[in-house]
Amino acid sequence: MTVFEELKKRGLLAQLTDEEEIKELINNGKATFYIGFDPTADSLHVGHFMALCLMKRLQMAGNKPIALIGGGTAMIGDPSGRTDMRSMMTKETIDHNCECFKKQMSRFIDFSEGKALMVNNADWLLDLNYVAFIRDIGAHFSVNRMLSAECYKQRMEKGLSFLEFNYMIMQSYDFLSLYEKYGCNMQFGGDDQWSNMLGGTELIRRKLGKDAYAMTITLLLNSEGKKMGKTQKGAVWLDPEKTSPFEFYQYWRNVSDEDVLKCLRMLTFLPIEQIEEMESWEGSELNRAKEILAYELTDLVHGEEEAKKAQESAKALFSSGNAADMPTSELQEEDFTDGQIDILAVLVKSGLTVSRSEARRAVEQGGVVFADEKVTDIKAVYEKDTFAGEGVVVRRGKKNFKKVVLK
């Protein structure tokens, strides 16, 4: 199976231009490609997983990845898939986030000499002469065509700022700059970036002539990858300080039955034949598939040792209700009244619910377990000493749990 065929079989490719040329470049290790990352936080999250895994796969086949950090475009804001304008960040914050990204990306991508590049589009965007840029680059864009793009249509109803309107031109200029500076001949992105990406390909060909070699591929990042990056209470981060290896493992251990094989195909490096054998698995076998998924991805992000610890802790949790490495929440002295705390306060303080009313409903619906005993009384109270030492495991439903300890 060729590299290109495997990408298609794993469900990674959604739309592309120049398929035969793309196939030729990828299969022969001749692609220099980029994927963009907006530094809007100081950590990548699992919504970036598909892109990172793709970069690793293609680099293993001899292709050269360029991780483009959007230090310049982050100062503008991308309207794609958004209903509101993104808040501005300082240059210092963006620079800090860029450094954090490179450290995390290095677990996926080999940045040694000649193998890959990390570049920041602030290097060419921030020093642009506006009039010269509009004359040179803006002349290649039709306003009517830009407004027909889905990303702009979504924002037009609530108001699209001129600042955001420039994003497509800026992203297209990124591809031109990478083409000219580094010989970048291919770009990847999520399906919500398709219009912007086509703009870059067309800009290169219009400005440099028909012989200019540029092409685009989109991934299912918006409908699949970005969905993977969210839980009920926010993003699952690659930074262990934000999401512990145990929490990370549990996130993937708890994916739905219908998503587990999809995740195995798209995100792991297990042989596709091994994954295809799992297609007939049912019931408890699917749970085994989820354990494989969780272990493989935790190993990829946090290393083998942390993956083993997370796996052992997960097994301990569900066999004996105790695990050394599960997420922990601390209660303070002031959380107790006369040395006691009620179950609703425990649920709120631990972050298992956001309010006492939500906590009340959880108890009434029979979804709360305190130290392996189902809680049926919303007025249940517990002594402070109960939380001393190793603390108590509190669960809400099957997937949400915390070890609650007294600080």
Side-chain angles (χ1 to χ4, degrees):
M1 188 187 303
T2 67
V3 178
F4 185 82
E5 288 171 343
E6 183 173 357
L7 295 182
K8 294 193 78 171
K9 200 158 190 178
R10 288 182 180 273
L12 289 169
L13 307 182
Q15 302 179 74
L16 55 155
T17 64
D18 311 282
E19 180 169 343
E20 290 305 312
E21 290 86 349
I22 290 172
K23 186 187 302 183
E24 173 73 14
L25 287 174
I26 288 177
N27 288 341
N28 291 288
K30 295 180 180 179
T32 297
F33 66 97
Y34 94 88
I35 298 180
F37 298 83
D38 282 335
T40 52
D42 59 2
S43 173
L44 298 166
H45 58 72
V46 298
H48 296 113
F49 235 144
M50 202 181 299
L52 294 170
C53 291
L54 175 83
M55 297 174 85
K56 182 177 176 70
R57 289 182 204 282
L58 291 181
Q59 187 181 52
M60 290 168 64
N63 299 285
K64 184 177 181 178
I66 299 176
L68 177 65
I69 305 299
T73 41
M75 293 187 172
I76 299 171
D78 178 6
S80 300
R82 301 182 63 84
T83 57
D84 57 350
M85 185 171 173
R86 186 161 59 198
S87 59
M88 299 292 179
M89 296 186 295
T90 66
K91 185 178 184 302
E92 292 72 23
T93 299
I94 292 171
D95 289 345
H96 170 71
N97 293 350
C98 290
E99 287 300 314
C100 295
F101 277 21
K102 185 167 186 178
K103 182 179 179 181
Q104 292 177 350
M105 286 181 181
S106 295
R107 291 201 64 92
F108 295 81
I109 304 165
D110 179 3
F111 285 105
S112 59
E113 187 68 28
K115 297 283 187 68
L117 291 171
M118 173 174 281
V119 296
N120 188 333
N121 65 11
D123 294 343
W124 55 82
L125 290 181
L126 297 189
D127 293 329
L128 284 175
N129 177 298
Y130 182 73
V131 173
F133 178 74
I134 292 300
R135 280 175 58 89
D136 186 34
I137 304 300
H140 296 283
F141 289 82
S142 161
V143 171
N144 289 348
R145 186 169 181 180
M146 289 172 70
L147 290 176
S148 68
E150 192 62 33
C151 60
Y152 287 133
K153 284 181 181 179
Q154 295 172 4
R155 291 284 285 119
M156 285 291 286
E157 294 181 5
K158 292 195 174 183
L160 176 70
S161 74
F162 184 70
L163 186 67
E164 294 172 292
F165 185 66
N166 278 267
Y167 194 92
M168 182 185 292
I169 302 177
M170 294 292 191
Q171 184 170 330
S172 299
Y173 186 65
D174 282 345
F175 195 15
L176 174 64
S177 298
L178 292 171
Y179 181 90
E180 293 180 325
K181 291 175 183 290
Y182 307 110
C184 181
N185 52 22
M186 195 176 299
Q187 59 178 334
F188 287 77
D191 59 358
D192 60 342
Q193 296 290 322
W194 184 241
S195 297
N196 293 350
M197 294 169 66
L198 286 180
T201 296
E202 292 171 2
L203 173 62
I204 291 174
R205 293 176 178 178
R206 287 173 185 169
K207 184 169 172 53
L208 303 181
K210 292 183 179 180
D211 292 335
Y213 212 42
M215 47 203 66
T216 58
I217 297 181
T218 67
L219 309 181
L220 293 172
L221 284 178
N222 189 44
S223 57
E224 301 294 343
K226 290 185 178 179
K227 180 179 71 175
M228 293 176 189
K230 300 293 182 182
T231 64
Q232 295 176 353
K233 299 184 182 300
V236 176
W237 304 100
L238 305 196
D239 183 345
E241 297 298 318
K242 292 178 175 289
T243 300
S244 73
F246 179 79
E247 291 174 300
F248 188 86
Y249 179 96
Q250 282 301 120
Y251 173 77
W252 296 109
R253 173 62 181 80
N254 291 323
V255 299
S256 64
D257 289 354
E258 57 267 26
D259 285 340
V260 61
L261 291 179
K262 185 188 303 178
C263 291
L264 282 164
R265 280 193 296 269
M266 290 180 171
L267 305 178
T268 75
F269 289 81
L270 294 175
I272 193 69
E273 296 80 10
Q274 182 179 345
I275 298 170
E276 287 175 343
E277 290 175 1
M278 301 180 194
E279 291 178 357
S280 61
W281 289 10
E282 297 178 352
S284 60
E285 289 181 316
L286 278 179
N287 287 330
R288 173 60 182 150
K290 294 176 185 180
E291 290 174 356
I292 294 171
L293 171 69
Y295 182 87
E296 291 292 324
L297 297 187
T298 307
D299 182 8
L300 186 61
V301 175
H302 299 294
E304 183 180 7
E305 183 179 351
E306 291 294 341
K308 287 181 177 178
K309 284 170 59 179
Q311 186 178 62
E312 290 167 1
S313 291
K315 290 179 178 178
L317 171 67
F318 291 103
S319 63
S320 63
N322 189 23
D325 193 31
M326 74 171 63
T328 299
S329 180
E330 295 180 339
L331 294 178
Q332 311 291 327
E333 289 286 344
E334 55 267 28
D335 294 328
F336 295 85
T337 302
D338 296 329
Q340 294 183 323
I341 186 171
D342 64 57
I343 186 59
L344 304 187
V346 171
L347 291 169
V348 173
K349 296 291 183 182
S350 65
L352 290 170
T353 65
V354 297
S355 65
R356 288 182 65 88
S357 59
E358 183 182 0
R360 177 190 293 266
R361 288 193 298 273
V363 173
E364 290 174 340
Q365 292 166 4
V368 176
V369 175
F370 185 98
D372 288 333
E373 291 188 8
K374 181 178 288 189
V375 181
T376 58
D377 184 2
I378 61 172
K379 296 181 180 180
V381 295
Y382 304 96
E383 300 294 329
K384 183 168 60 177
D385 291 346
T386 307
F387 304 92
E390 292 295 319
V392 178
V393 176
V394 182
R395 301 189 202 180
R396 180 196 171 195
K398 294 181 179 179
K399 300 181 180 181
N400 301 304
F401 50 84
K402 286 283 184 73
K403 181 186 285 186
V404 184
V405 299
L406 177 64
K407 185 174 181 180

